[in-house]
């Protein structure tokens, strides 16, 4: 069974009586969001879709954490200009301008976290995941967590014990699971609560609590409710589960290690808050490689960038075809995108019943669709061939694809083809290796002069073949060229090299039969005849 069907059925059984199943995932808006964060979105989003198809009512909350302190400076920001904001909640830091410097004074809807969070939210929408977006600050300010903060902080000794027992982390006897946004300097990463009486917290804003931010030394007493206080993150995670309450929430491998944050939050959730721990789906990393993407960005590709390199269905497909417990290692360069398309098309063929093996893969195609209720049957031209065709001058790609399909293209076929043409051009511009790229030389390339007499004879033979058989298909041409090669003393590399040298001025190129078939016949015949 495909993993999405499998996990959706497990969840369906785990909550037989719940009227509505609540799914949640979260991302901290500490800068541009890496494409890897889409894996969590996709896993939760697609499970929500699968459960709805099983007849369940589901809400998928995607929370952008904008309350964590700024504790690091991304390389694309002006380091000096942003340093004074270190330690402040991300929603109280100004959004950057084009120069990476702080822009206007932060407001509730225009700040650092909103700036980067909104960019990610747009990608989530583009991929068709129906997530209800929530901002942590809204929940804090609305007082949603007030009761839970009270409960969480009533027995700090028990919380300390859990931290110690599970993660081995020792907290001092004055430690409280609470921080306060300093009333004087506005920082939250620098404060320590020394006492909490259930209504007000006494806190210090410490100059040396953390290495990345400096507190102002203020000492105060204030109510931690309605957004003035913030829970430390493992406690906060448990409170978020309890407050909605959350039924299903997966999390990355790093959180699920033994003694790790998930285990600590589980214990807090059960023992301190008396709430249920959500159904967990631990998932592996999505690793993104490619020197072109990582060099200048400092963190690799962002979700937004990758969402512009391929259609949303293909990005969904990339994110969901692999089981959550398997890592995804994706390198954008070379042939990765054409191979992803090939794999996608193979799954489509299974879905449409043109192939009968491994029905699981048909489900991968199904769940990758933006609207699984309405999947138009359509002809998929192989991406690598489209990338080849867009490089041939004066070629009617539609006609070529019609020849391959055997009948007229439907409007759905044409739309799919247009899409692939656009993405193929982008791929050739940005990521394709030199092997996949070529340019038909309008004059005889200088390098063709170095072809030997056997190679020249081979080209003459092809010219004659083309002249005598004007209607050979690409496939027929392919086998005829192979026969000619066998009849000559040339090695394959020398024979095909002659074709590419004559037309492209380089040693390699696209598959010869298709290539010659796609080019203007008269042009090829004249070119080959001229090299003798
Ligand atoms: Zn302060």
């Amino acid at each position: 069974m495909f993993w999405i069907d499998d996990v959706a059925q497990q969840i369906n059984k785990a909550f037989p009586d719940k009227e509505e199943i609540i799914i949640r995932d979260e991302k901290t808006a500490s800068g541009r969001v890496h494409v890897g964060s889409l894996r969590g979105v996709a896993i939760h989003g697609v499970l929500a879709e699968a459960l709805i198809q099983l007849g369940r009512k589901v809400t998928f909350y995607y929370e952008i954490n904008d309350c964590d302190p700024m504790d690091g400076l991304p390389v694309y920001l002006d380091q000096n200009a942003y340093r004074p904001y270190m330690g402040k909640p991300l929603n109280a830091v100004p959004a950057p301008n084009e120069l990476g410097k702080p822009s206007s004074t932060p407001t509730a809807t225009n700040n650092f976290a909103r700036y980067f969070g909104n960019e990610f939210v747009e990608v989530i929408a583009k991929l068709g995941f129906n997530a209800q977006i929530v901002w942590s600050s809204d929940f804090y300010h609305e007082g949603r967590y007030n009761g839970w903060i009270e409960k969480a902080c009533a027995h700090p000794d028990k919380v300390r014990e859990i931290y110690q027992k599970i993660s081995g982390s020792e907290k001092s006897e004055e430690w409280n699971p609470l921080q306060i946004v300093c009333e004087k300097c506005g920082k939250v990463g620098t404060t320590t609560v020394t006492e909490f009486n259930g209504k007000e917290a006494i806190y210090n804003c410490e100059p040396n609590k953390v290495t990345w931010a400096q507190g102002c030394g203020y000492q105060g007493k204030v109510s931690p409710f309605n957004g003035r206080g913030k829970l430390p993150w493992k406690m906060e995670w448990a409170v978020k589960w309890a407050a909605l309450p959350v039924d299903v929430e997966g999390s990355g491998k790093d959180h699920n290690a033994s003694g790790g944050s998930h285990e600590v939050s589980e214990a807090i959730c059960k023992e301190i808050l008396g709430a249920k721990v959500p159904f967990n789906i631990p998932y592996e990393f999505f690793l993104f490689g490619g020197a072109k993407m990582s060099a200048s960005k400092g963190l690799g590709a962002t979700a937004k960038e990758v969402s512009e390199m391929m259609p949303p269905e293909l990005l969904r497909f990339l994110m969901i075809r692999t089981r959550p417990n398997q890592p995804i290692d994706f390198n954008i360069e070379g042939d990765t995108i054409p191979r992803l398309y090939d794999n996608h098309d193979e799954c489509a063929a299974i879905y449409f019943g043109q192939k009968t093996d491994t029905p699981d893969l048909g489900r991968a195609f199904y769940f990758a669709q933006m609207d699984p209720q309405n999947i138009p049957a359509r002809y998929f031209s192989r991406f690598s061939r489209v990338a080849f065709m867009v490089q041939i001058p004066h070629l009617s790609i539609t006609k070529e694809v019609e020849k391959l399909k055997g009948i007229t293209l439907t409007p759905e076929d044409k739309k799919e083809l247009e899409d692939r043409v656009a993405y193929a051009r982008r791929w050739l511009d940005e990521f394709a290796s030199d092997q996949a790229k070529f340019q038909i030389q309008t004059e005889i390339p200088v390098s063709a002069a170095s072809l030997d007499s056997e190679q020249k004879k081979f080209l003459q033979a092809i010219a004659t073949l083309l002249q005598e058989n004007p209607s050979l298909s690409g496939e027929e041409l392919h086998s005829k060229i192979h026969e000619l090669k066998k009849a000559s003393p040339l090695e394959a590399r020398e024979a095909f090299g002659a074709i590419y040298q004559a037309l492209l001025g380089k040693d390699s190129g696209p598959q010869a039969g298709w290539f010659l078939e796609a080019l203007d016949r008269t042009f090829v015949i004249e070119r080959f005849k001229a090299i003798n």
Side-chain angles (χ1 to χ4, degrees):
M1 195 187 291
F2 188 52
W3 75 265
I4 296 172
D5 294 310
D6 181 18
V7 178
Q9 283 181 20
Q10 287 177 39
I11 296 169
N12 192 28
K13 275 189 208 142
F15 302 96
D17 306 319
K18 279 215 75 178
E19 198 199 319
E20 183 184 22
I21 296 176
I22 303 294
I23 300 181
R24 195 193 85 101
D25 189 17
E26 158 174 349
K27 174 69 198 152
T28 300
S30 52
R32 289 186 186 137
V33 181
H34 184 261
V35 61
S37 296
L38 281 178
R39 188 164 197 190
V41 175
I43 288 171
H44 293 91
V46 82
L47 283 170
E49 292 170 5
L51 282 160
I52 289 168
Q53 285 165 31
L54 289 175
R56 301 300 299 259
K57 188 177 176 210
V58 181
T59 301
F60 168 29
Y61 287 98
Y62 196 86
E63 181 167 339
I64 306 287
N65 183 337
D66 59 346
C67 289
D68 273 6
M70 177 179 243
D71 62 359
L73 288 175
V75 293
Y76 42 82
L77 296 180
D78 186 309
Q79 308 287 297
N80 286 332
Y82 266 103
R83 196 156 292 122
Y85 297 99
M86 291 287 281
K88 288 197 176 195
L90 291 161
N91 65 62
V93 176
N97 62 18
E98 323 75 66
L99 302 170
K101 291 180 192 293
S103 59
S104 51
T105 312
T107 66
T109 53
N110 177 11
N111 56 57
F112 188 90
R114 293 275 169 161
Y115 180 87
F116 291 108
N118 280 330
E119 184 179 293
F120 192 55
V121 166
E122 278 171 31
V123 179
I124 295 174
K126 189 176 171 187
L127 292 184
F129 293 116
N130 186 17
Q132 186 163 336
I133 305 298
V134 294
W135 299 83
S136 305
S137 57
D138 288 343
F139 276 7
Y140 268 110
H141 289 139
E142 285 163 13
R144 277 215 188 201
Y145 298 147
N146 287 354
W148 296 103
I149 290 175
E150 226 179 309
K151 213 165 184 175
C153 297
H155 304 286
D157 51 330
K158 280 193 188 163
V159 179
R160 289 196 291 265
E161 208 181 293
I162 288 174
Y163 272 83
Q164 204 281 325
K165 192 176 67 189
I166 295 173
S167 67
S169 128
E170 297 280 355
K171 306 281 183 196
S172 75
E173 276 186 29
E174 300 89 61
W175 184 85
N176 282 274
L178 184 63
Q179 284 187 285
I180 297 291
V181 180
C182 175
E183 295 156 281
K184 193 168 170 223
C185 72
K187 292 181 184 175
V188 66
T190 50
T191 62
T192 301
V193 169
T194 53
E195 211 183 307
F196 177 56
N197 62 12
K199 287 195 173 67
E200 287 177 312
I202 297 173
Y203 70 97
N204 298 325
C205 184
E206 298 176 27
N208 302 314
K209 178 176 176 163
V210 290
T211 52
W212 37 268
Q214 200 179 17
C216 67
Y218 183 77
Q219 294 191 321
K221 187 176 179 186
V222 73
S223 159
F225 301 124
N226 300 326
R228 178 54 73 184
K230 184 193 179 306
L231 298 161
W233 99 264
K234 291 169 204 170
M235 171 60 91
E236 186 177 70
W237 201 8
V239 162
K240 285 172 175 178
W241 292 342
L244 267 177
V246 180
D247 299 313
V248 178
E249 179 168 337
S251 49
K253 177 195 180 180
D254 44 337
H255 300 310
N256 283 285
S258 172
S261 42
H262 198 278
E263 212 177 314
V264 173
S265 298
E266 269 178 46
I268 292 172
C269 188
K270 286 188 278 197
E271 295 167 32
I272 307 287
L273 308 176
K276 265 183 83 176
V277 175
F279 182 102
N280 188 14
I281 309 151
Y283 53 86
E284 270 279 353
F285 292 125
F286 178 95
L287 302 164
F288 190 94
K292 283 180 194 166
M293 291 312 305
S294 49
S296 61
K297 306 292 192 287
L299 87 166
T302 67
K304 183 169 192 269
E305 287 166 331
V306 177
S307 76
E308 286 161 359
M309 292 167 198
M310 57 184 90
E313 292 87 355
L314 198 68
L315 185 48
R316 283 175 66 111
F317 179 75
L318 170 63
M319 291 290 164
I320 62 151
R321 68 174 167 172
T322 310
R323 279 194 164 271
N325 63 2
Q326 303 283 320
I328 302 176
D329 199 346
F330 189 78
N331 187 321
I332 193 76
E333 279 155 45
D335 280 342
T336 311
I337 289 186
R339 276 192 274 115
L340 180 62
Y341 268 103
D342 284 352
N343 188 211
H344 168 273
D345 295 355
E346 196 187 323
C347 293
I350 292 166
Y351 174 79
F352 288 117
Q354 293 144 354
K355 274 185 170 182
T356 50
D357 51 336
T358 45
D360 270 13
L361 297 178
R363 296 296 282 169
F365 170 80
Y366 171 80
F367 282 115
Q369 304 309 299
M370 300 286 277
D371 180 7
Q373 306 303 318
N374 174 29
I375 304 176
R378 55 204 190 274
Y379 182 78
F380 296 106
S381 332
R382 197 172 177 199
F383 184 80
S384 51
R385 185 165 297 160
V386 174
F388 150 69
M389 290 190 287
V390 300
Q391 298 178 80
I392 306 258
H394 318 299
L395 182 73
S396 162
I397 296 177
T398 310
K399 274 190 196 154
E400 288 300 311
V401 172
E402 240 155 33
K403 269 193 244 167
L404 290 167
K405 189 191 175 192
I407 45 168
T408 318
L409 300 187
T410 65
E412 285 80 17
D413 294 341
K414 283 186 183 160
K415 194 187 163 296
E416 180 68 40
L417 180 59
E418 277 166 23
D419 223 36
R420 290 192 178 207
V421 165
Y423 284 105
R425 289 190 201 282
R426 199 166 306 173
W427 175 70
L428 287 164
D429 280 349
E430 294 181 36
F431 305 108
S433 65
D434 288 341
Q435 259 178 320
K437 287 189 269 196
F438 60 85
Q439 197 167 11
I440 307 293
Q441 303 296 305
T442 48
E443 303 288 333
I444 296 177
V446 181
S447 57
S450 62
L451 295 175
D452 67 24
S453 60
E454 286 300 337
Q455 286 176 306
K456 287 176 183 171
K457 256 194 241 170
F458 180 64
L459 295 180
Q460 301 313 308
I462 297 174
T464 310
L465 172 75
L466 291 171
Q467 241 169 350
E468 291 172 359
N469 304 278
S471 57
L472 284 181
S473 72
E475 212 167 326
E476 289 162 340
L477 202 47
H478 181 70
S479 60
K480 292 275 184 201
I481 292 172
H482 271 274
E483 282 171 26
L484 290 176
K485 191 222 79 186
K486 270 190 204 152
S488 85
L490 296 171
E491 296 288 327
R493 188 176 44 80
E494 298 165 323
F496 293 104
I499 296 174
Y500 303 127
Q501 281 297 353
L503 297 166
L504 308 174
K506 57 185 231 174
D507 285 327
S508 60
Q511 196 228 51
W514 300 111
F515 184 39
L516 296 187
E517 199 264 346
L519 291 173
D520 180 73
R521 288 281 156 109
T522 317
F523 167 77
V524 176
I525 293 166
E526 279 175 8
R527 172 63 55 89
F528 285 0
K529 286 201 160 174
I531 301 174
N532 58 25

